[in-house]
Amino acid sequence: MKRIDSPEDLEKLRRKLRSKKKTDKTTISVCVSTGCVALGSIKVLEAIKAELERQGLVETVNVKETGCLGFCEQGPRLSIHPKEICYFKVKPEDAQEIVSKTVIKGEVVERLLYKDPATGKVARRLDEIPFYRHQVRPLLANNERIDPKSINDYIALGGYEALAKALFKMTPEDVIEEIKRANLRGRGGGGFPTGIKWETTRKAPGHLKYVIVNCDEGDPGAFMDRSLMEGNPHSVLEGLIIGGYAIGAGEGFVYVREEYPLAAENITNAIRQAEEYGLLGENILGSGFNFKVRVHRGAGAFVSGESSALMNAIEGCIGEPRPKYVHTAVKGVWGRPSCLNNVKTWANIPLIILNGAEWFRKIGTEGSSGTAIFSLVGKVNNTGLVEVPMGITLRDLIYKIGGGIKDGKKFKAVQTGGPSGGFIPEQYLNLPVDFDELNRVGSMMGSGGMVVMDEDTCMVDAARFFIDFLLEESCGKCIPCREGLRVLSRILNDICEGKGVEEDVMIVEEIAETMRDASLCALGTTAANPVLTSLKYFRDEWDQHLKAKRCPAKACKALVNYYIEPEKCQACQLCRRECPTGAILGGVEQVHWIEQDKCVKCGSCYEACRFNAIVKLSGEPIPPPPPEGTKPVRRRGGR
Amino acid sequence: MGLKLKIDDKEVESMEGETILDAAKKLGIEIPTLCHHEGLEPYGACRICSVEIEKNGRKRIVAACCYPAEDGLNVKTRSPRIDRIRRIIIELAAINVGGDLSGKFLELAAEYKADTSRFLQKVKVEPSKCILCGLCVRRCVEACWDSVIGFVGRGVNRRIVVYPENASICSTCDHCHGICPTGRITSIGPDPPFPSIDDVLAGRE
Amino acid sequence: MSSLQLERVKAHERRPIRLQGVAAIVNRIVEEYGYDKSMLIQVLLRLQKSFSWLPMEMLLEVSKQLKVPLSQVYQIATFYKAFSLTPRGRHLVRVCMGTACKVRGATNILEKIQRVLKIERDETTPDGRFTLETINCAGCCALGPVITVDGEYHGNVKTHNVEKILEQYR
């Protein structure tokens, strides 16, 4: 690769790449991000390649490996350009038909198109799918168009133009001013104004400064950062270089969590390519600005996502937080000013520089500009990554984009902000989603996890889940967090097992207050949020566990019994075969029956039954067994 | 450069680099600590030194041992809220200490009227008599660079272990004795105060 | 405590390792990172990846060559989930226990795997075939419940196809 020495050279390269692209060559792009790969997209990719080879089309058709489009539920996803036909749930066996029909004849393979379960309408293109129709995707859109391993793809789409603009047409102060005017707030969850943070680091004394990308996305239920890092690493890198220039940093770090090997691979590759082009390193684009970037891999610790802990880890020390009453923006890595931002914050920078602060402010709300990326998961019909303007209501997110609750169940709560956030009940569904509104109801934006829970989710159990998560992830340095979580976990486990007493609620509140006020870092100070919101909005469920020893959602194992309804049982043996303890009695042509003493409540029978004959009971007596030899009542239409 | 701040309504002048704890000392106001030592970097782990500060009209709880003295700061070292926080921290720490209280910890428990058995009854763990304040570990590193004792594990599984490899560098500096706030480390008795790393990893301690 | 008292700690109890040339292996990696102390975690990650566990001798070597206190090496090796101080099985099964997987039944999947392999979390089967761990989010939330085996993802796992998935790994 030839070094690019000026903005003019970059422009020349871009024109060259674009003109090459102009040819109407068909391109098949296959998603190879973690989600689709889990569903078998690599095999699809290989099958497509083999089929093209077989039909002698290797020269005429491009195959591209691209990043995540967000609709992971429907993967593996494949799109065919320039017609923009999008196929979902593609299997390797479909390769032949796709090539013969769509590539050669231009016909659509109807059964691979997305079909709206609500209306039955099929969609050829992405924007015809309800999941995408309500989204605005400045950050994620390019994931589909570029091969994350190719810097040329990124440059062809306008990549590094913002960097050239910043370096040659703006002073560092101009850049910071632009970011301030855009009112970009930290996408890691805190929502701190990015421009002000940059300015603090710029003005802090010392000539060695650092900029850091935080890709230690540990919140359970969130994978936005992973998708951006895997799908469009250059956008993050470009933002970081611009930030380095604005802040006056000579070195940047990218911290990637251990569980994201592909993200680490792609950003490492992106750094190498940018170095070869002279977009990183000495004298970037001939501007005289020097900047280098190093990738640090995490080793599996949620608390390392906290800024001071992450900086400790970069220094090679234990990834536990340090007291940071002097902000890390002033005293960070090796005691030097260090500006740390989330992946999405950095990825927003090139867009703001290129399109201007006004463009950015037009998206979103007064207090929170721009888009937010959520990972909409849990019990919704359409799960995946969604990018929406700030201020969209929870209802629109869950029902218009998410397609409502799975299996026609009833909505109970949505959990945002991961372990630091809280549960939001139905009464707040019309809440516009932005940093401030979520805080107001006791939750927070967090990095963007949005887990939808339905009537089958027990809110005490869900609170316990987060406490147990944090108990495992707390570094154990400070007493309120370490010991507070230990006691909270014990109490919540007791309640879920029907062993709770009413004073427990008081203890929970007492400890929650101390943790919030006195813990060392944000992991501890926010740890009680899930418990407190659960208590606040779902007190009745707590009382049911405490007083009636009953779990209304029938999710707490110790409080649930499985029972086979004799009228519905078809004596098909399916559940008997699945039962690991032999607790199910009843032979052929004999209604089945669960021996409660032997039952370990694993739920295998419940999952196996095709006749909905197995039900869960909680806090109610189990009816006596049917007389031995009871014959099943055959149902019409049954097997 | 002098910084003027108020602690419990008394004015005090402090210097850049000093903490609230340092400033309070000048006034003779005692703020309790468990993990603090004058010769060591502030650590901020026990949180017993929590105080309430008021800055630009906003109130906040901070750890006095780490928070730098600032001009115009208004600090309260005792209030029902602070006492409650300290009491609960003592009660939480007592899970590790167990029933056999001694030394500084015993004094604090009495002063804040802490019920040191109530959480232990809930969680039912074997008390180790160590609250992981890290004083001994930090003093050991300071005394011999490559320490003889150190932390392993995280969260509730965090503990202090002895590295047999380094036993030979242990001089009788006695740095780790007198500072233990719970009396776990005593100079009497032939056994090392903590289990060896091997025993801990093998689950034998 | 004095050095005399410390000798009572039984140093001979440690497991002998059958690894030749630990010093040379560690040296190669440490050199690659330019003897940079801040690369300690990266060095350990590399060793962990190559050997799938970190024998004691290796940690001692890292401490010596990188000139980092032994206590710091141990603290890091026991703090992070990626490191294992005991040998792992040939295949590493990780069950995602993230929120999204949890609300879709990850607990049942974990229990099923425990029953099938007859081991608990963080244990290795006696034949050394599988080690079972949990992770708090694999970042594949749309496909929950998710398990990974040797880094390969399996999405939408059901209790009755657990055996089939594990069968693929001999």
Side-chain angles (χ1 to χ4, degrees):
Chain A
M1 271 200 248
K2 211 176 132 254
R3 231 190 105 93
I4 308 168
D5 283 322
S6 67
E8 293 74 33
D9 281 0
L10 179 67
E11 222 23 69
K12 241 184 259 166
L13 174 68
R14 198 186 326 277
R15 273 201 298 276
K16 207 173 98 195
L17 292 168
R18 278 181 183 163
S19 69
K20 248 204 256 169
K21 268 217 157 128
K22 275 274 159 59
T23 53
D24 283 340
K25 203 166 166 183
T26 306
T27 302
I28 306 179
S29 67
V30 182
C31 173
V32 291
S33 73
T34 309
C36 279
V37 169
L39 293 168
S41 75
I42 298 290
K43 286 199 181 111
V44 172
L45 180 74
E46 281 163 3
I48 294 277
K49 280 185 180 160
E51 190 57 32
L52 290 172
E53 182 120 6
R54 206 176 61 83
Q55 304 210 23
L57 294 167
V58 178
E59 292 301 310
T60 42
V61 178
N62 254 335
V63 179
K64 197 181 257 186
E65 299 168 29
T66 67
C68 179
L69 252 190
F71 209 3
C72 308
E73 171 111 335
Q74 299 285 327
R77 187 267 315 165
L78 171 158
S79 4
I80 296 160
H81 297 275
K83 289 201 164 152
E84 293 190 40
I85 297 166
C86 230
Y87 289 149
F88 290 96
K89 294 191 174 172
V90 182
K91 293 194 179 62
E93 306 87 272
D94 301 324
Q96 193 257 334
E97 205 177 346
I98 292 171
V99 173
S100 315
K101 263 195 170 169
T102 314
V103 175
I104 298 178
K105 295 191 202 142
E107 290 167 15
V108 174
V109 183
E110 189 101 354
R111 69 185 162 84
L112 295 175
L113 293 174
Y114 176 78
K115 194 168 157 196
D116 187 348
T119 60
K121 269 191 8 204
V122 292
R124 274 172 57 118
R125 294 154 50 104
L126 275 192
D127 48 19
E128 294 168 3
I129 300 173
F131 179 75
Y132 289 103
R133 205 183 299 141
H134 303 282
Q135 297 193 37
V136 179
R137 303 164 68 86
L139 286 173
L140 286 177
N142 279 347
N143 273 14
E144 187 213 8
R145 299 186 199 125
I146 59 175
D147 175 350
K149 294 216 160 54
S150 156
I151 189 170
N152 284 345
D153 270 15
Y154 183 66
I155 290 176
L157 282 170
Y160 291 103
E161 201 178 332
L163 175 66
K165 182 178 172 186
L167 289 178
F168 289 91
K169 299 199 175 121
M170 297 167 92
T171 63
E173 287 80 7
D174 290 344
V175 175
I176 291 179
E177 199 45 47
E178 193 72 19
I179 302 301
K180 271 165 90 177
R181 277 201 301 127
N183 192 23
L184 173 65
R185 294 172 68 174
R187 288 329 195 226
F192 191 82
T194 305
I196 294 177
K197 196 174 190 177
W198 285 22
E199 197 170 47
T200 312
T201 307
R202 175 160 187 89
K203 286 187 176 156
H207 71 278
L208 276 178
K209 291 172 187 174
Y210 304 103
V211 280
I212 302 162
V213 180
N214 185 352
C215 185
D216 192 65
E217 181 180 50
D219 282 16
F223 60 105
M224 303 75 51
D225 297 355
R226 194 207 69 197
S227 285
L228 257 180
M229 212 61 158
E230 283 180 5
N232 196 353
H234 281 287
S235 67
V236 182
L237 188 58
E238 186 181 0
L240 185 70
I241 305 171
I242 295 171
Y245 168 72
I247 287 162
E251 192 168 355
F253 296 101
V254 182
Y255 189 91
V256 187
R257 79 190 275 245
E258 187 252 344
E259 290 86 343
Y260 291 175
L262 186 59
E265 186 187 318
N266 286 1
I267 188 73
T268 308
N269 179 64
I271 290 168
R272 195 179 43 77
Q273 290 179 334
E275 278 168 353
E276 282 171 14
Y277 267 156
L279 296 163
L280 253 184
E282 304 284 302
N283 194 14
I284 292 172
L285 282 174
S287 66
F289 174 58
N290 306 330
F291 187 70
K292 59 179 179 184
V293 179
R294 268 206 289 194
V295 175
H296 262 259
R297 299 283 308 267
F302 174 73
V303 68
S304 287
E306 196 274 341
S307 63
S308 69
L310 190 148
M311 291 181 192
N312 271 341
I314 286 179
E315 291 177 21
C317 297
I318 193 78
E320 66 185 23
R322 44 192 180 203
K324 56 163 187 186
Y325 294 124
V326 179
H327 203 277
T328 49
V330 177
K331 215 172 153 194
V333 181
W334 290 295
R336 294 167 189 149
S338 309
C339 182
L340 173 139
N341 283 120
N342 174 268
V343 172
K344 294 173 293 277
T345 315
W346 290 116
N348 265 309
I349 302 297
L351 296 174
I352 294 172
I353 295 298
L354 214 52
N355 302 319
E358 281 66 35
W359 166 83
F360 190 74
R361 289 201 74 136
K362 266 189 214 141
I363 313 171
T365 60
E366 178 72 32
S368 309
S369 308
T371 59
I373 307 182
F374 291 105
S375 72
L376 185 62
V377 292
K379 299 289 189 71
V380 277
N381 279 315
N382 306 327
T383 58
L385 280 192
V386 298
E387 186 174 356
V388 288
M390 295 265 191
I392 188 172
T393 63
L394 284 168
R395 191 181 296 281
D396 282 354
L397 257 170
I398 294 165
Y399 288 91
K400 277 195 184 155
I401 296 175
I405 310 302
K406 243 188 159 80
D407 305 325
K409 299 254 177 168
K410 208 172 156 298
F411 171 89
K412 186 182 266 181
V414 53
Q415 206 279 345
T416 69
S420 312
F423 303 103
I424 301 172
E426 193 167 12
Q427 72 217 62
Y428 293 118
L429 269 182
N430 291 330
L431 194 79
V433 179
D434 70 12
F435 289 105
D436 311 313
E437 294 287 337
L438 289 180
N439 277 346
R440 245 207 316 264
V441 294
S443 185
M444 65 184 283
M445 187 82 135
S447 74
M450 190 164 273
V451 186
V452 178
M453 297 168 174
D454 67 3
E455 54 192 297
D456 293 340
T457 315
C458 167
M459 300 318 284
V460 186
D461 182 48
R464 168 179 77 157
F465 166 79
F466 283 108
I467 292 298
D468 281 351
F469 168 84
L470 288 167
L471 179 71
E472 210 173 281
E473 295 295 344
S474 162
C475 73
K477 181 174 175 177
C478 78
I479 292 172
C481 178
R482 181 185 71 229
E483 302 305 330
L485 285 168
R486 192 194 319 242
V487 180
L488 285 183
S489 164
R490 186 67 262 150
I491 288 177
L492 285 164
N493 276 289
D494 278 352
I495 297 176
C496 288
E497 284 167 19
K499 292 186 241 159
V501 287
E502 279 175 55
E503 296 93 80
D504 285 347
V505 174
M506 202 191 74
I507 299 181
V508 165
E509 282 168 341
E510 249 182 323
I511 290 179
E513 189 201 1
T514 304
M515 287 177 72
R516 188 195 60 213
D517 287 340
S519 295
L520 171 62
C521 80
L523 185 144
T525 53
T526 58
N529 283 350
V531 183
L532 291 176
T533 47
S534 169
L535 248 179
K536 186 168 163 194
Y537 301 124
F538 301 95
R539 182 60 193 255
D540 176 56
E541 267 187 59
W542 285 66
D543 287 341
Q544 296 255 11
H545 283 77
L546 287 166
K547 292 175 195 156
K549 310 292 176 202
R550 176 173 176 267
C551 175
K554 297 182 177 128
C556 292
K557 223 171 160 178
L559 301 178
V560 164
N561 291 98
Y562 288 89
Y563 168 69
I564 304 175
E565 290 186 343
E567 318 78 60
K568 285 190 185 162
C569 176
Q570 299 296 298
C572 71
Q573 309 284 324
L574 263 182
C575 61
R576 283 193 62 201
R577 249 174 270 145
E578 281 299 321
C579 181
T581 57
I584 300 178
L585 304 178
V588 189
E589 280 301 296
Q590 211 179 334
V591 163
H592 299 342
W593 178 254
I594 299 173
E595 264 195 306
Q596 297 296 334
D597 299 345
K598 280 195 194 164
C599 175
V600 290
K601 303 175 186 179
C602 67
S604 299
C605 57
Y606 186 79
E607 240 181 74
C609 182
R610 296 197 211 155
F611 304 99
N612 294 325
I614 302 181
V615 292
K616 295 189 212 172
L617 304 174
S618 183
E620 49 199 307
I622 303 155
E628 206 166 317
T630 305
K631 295 257 182 293
V633 183
R634 289 286 173 222
R635 278 194 288 172
R636 259 177 297 164
R639 288 192 319 164
Chain B
M1 192 174 67
L3 305 165
K4 281 203 179 81
L5 58 153
K6 249 192 199 163
I7 302 179
D8 292 343
D9 298 321
K10 288 183 202 130
E11 291 235 0
V12 63
E13 209 163 298
S14 189
M15 305 226 291
E16 196 82 45
E18 285 186 326
T19 60
I20 293 177
L21 189 68
D22 298 329
K25 214 160 267 167
K26 290 184 192 167
L27 287 171
I29 295 172
E30 202 182 329
I31 299 172
T33 60
L34 285 170
C35 70
H36 184 74
H37 187 275
E38 295 220 318
L40 295 168
E41 282 277 304
Y43 190 56
C46 75
R47 318 306 285 177
I48 198 86
C49 65
S50 291
V51 293
E52 192 176 81
I53 59 164
E54 197 186 324
K55 199 174 135 186
N56 311 327
R58 270 188 62 217
K59 285 184 182 170
R60 227 176 123 193
I61 303 282
V62 300
C65 70
C66 303
Y67 199 93
E70 282 171 13
D71 213 25
L73 205 61
N74 194 358
V75 185
K76 255 207 181 92
T77 71
R78 288 299 282 262
S79 73
R81 185 179 176 196
I82 293 165
D83 284 11
R84 190 167 64 242
I85 289 171
R86 289 188 188 152
R87 173 173 59 84
I88 291 170
I89 290 175
I90 294 166
E91 289 172 347
L92 287 170
I95 295 172
N96 299 123
V97 182
D100 181 19
L101 304 184
S102 63
K104 200 170 178 182
F105 196 80
L106 177 67
E107 287 165 32
L108 282 174
E111 186 181 347
Y112 288 91
K113 299 187 182 62
D115 176 356
T116 51
S117 64
R118 69 168 180 150
F119 292 145
L120 189 58
Q121 280 165 4
K122 276 266 171 238
V123 297
K124 300 184 188 76
V125 292
E126 193 58 48
S128 60
K129 237 189 158 183
C130 169
I131 59 165
L132 301 165
C133 68
L135 278 172
C136 55
V137 172
R138 287 178 288 144
R139 291 224 67 182
C140 188
V141 176
E142 188 195 54
C144 57
W145 178 79
D146 193 355
S147 63
V148 185
I149 51 177
F151 284 118
V152 288
R154 79 169 178 222
V156 286
N157 295 319
R158 179 192 269 244
R159 57 208 55 197
I160 299 173
V161 297
V162 164
Y163 297 103
E165 284 76 12
N166 290 352
S168 59
I169 58 173
C170 176
S171 58
T172 41
C173 70
D174 264 7
H175 270 22
C176 59
H177 286 161
I179 49 171
C180 180
T182 59
R184 157 109 192 205
I185 309 176
T186 53
S187 42
I188 21 174
D191 289 319
F194 297 105
S196 87
I197 176 78
D198 306 79
D199 285 344
V200 169
L201 291 180
R204 276 194 302 261
E205 38 95 42
Chain C
M1 77 191 126
S2 71
S3 57
L4 190 83
Q5 286 159 7
L6 274 171
E7 273 157 26
R8 293 172 62 98
V9 179
K10 292 176 190 145
H12 64 265
E13 274 188 20
R14 41 199 58 203
R15 189 195 302 263
I17 78 162
R18 271 160 239 96
L19 235 144
Q20 293 300 307
V22 178
I25 294 161
V26 171
N27 189 256
R28 211 180 49 233
I29 293 173
V30 169
E31 202 170 82
E32 205 180 299
Y33 284 105
Y35 293 90
D36 184 347
K37 285 187 178 92
S38 69
M39 288 290 146
L40 173 59
I41 297 171
Q42 311 304 309
V43 168
L44 292 178
L45 276 171
R46 282 279 294 277
L47 290 167
Q48 169 74 38
K49 205 174 169 208
S50 307
F51 299 94
S52 85
W53 70 296
L54 300 172
M56 196 154 293
E57 279 74 359
M58 212 171 249
L59 297 179
L60 288 169
E61 242 353 280
V62 171
S63 159
K64 214 161 40 183
Q65 296 195 23
L66 214 52
K67 298 199 167 57
V68 177
L70 184 64
S71 55
Q72 193 182 336
V73 177
Y74 261 110
Q75 194 182 3
I76 283 171
T78 55
F79 185 87
Y80 291 104
K81 268 191 138 178
F83 303 125
S84 172
L85 297 181
T86 46
R88 275 180 174 155
R90 290 197 298 285
H91 304 289
L92 178 61
V93 182
R94 286 171 145 186
V95 184
C96 176
M97 298 301 279
T99 330
C101 289
K102 151 103 186 161
V103 300
R104 291 194 185 189
T107 321
N108 287 347
I109 303 293
L110 175 66
E111 283 170 5
K112 176 71 188 256
I113 296 177
Q114 288 174 334
R115 277 200 304 274
V116 171
L117 298 180
K118 298 192 180 66
I119 50 172
E120 293 294 308
R121 233 168 71 157
D122 297 324
E123 285 182 359
T124 301
T125 50
D127 61 358
R129 186 169 155 206
F130 290 112
T131 295
L132 177 62
E133 289 181 358
T134 57
I135 43 172
N136 283 325
C137 188
C140 250
C141 313
L143 314 174
V146 169
I147 69 171
T148 71
V149 186
D150 300 340
E152 272 180 54
Y153 288 74
H154 301 270
N156 295 321
V157 180
K158 301 259 186 310
T159 45
H160 52 263
N161 57 26
V162 161
E163 281 110 330
K164 222 169 85 193
I165 294 171
L166 296 178
E167 261 318 295
Q168 301 166 31
Y169 303 90
R170 283 270 116 212

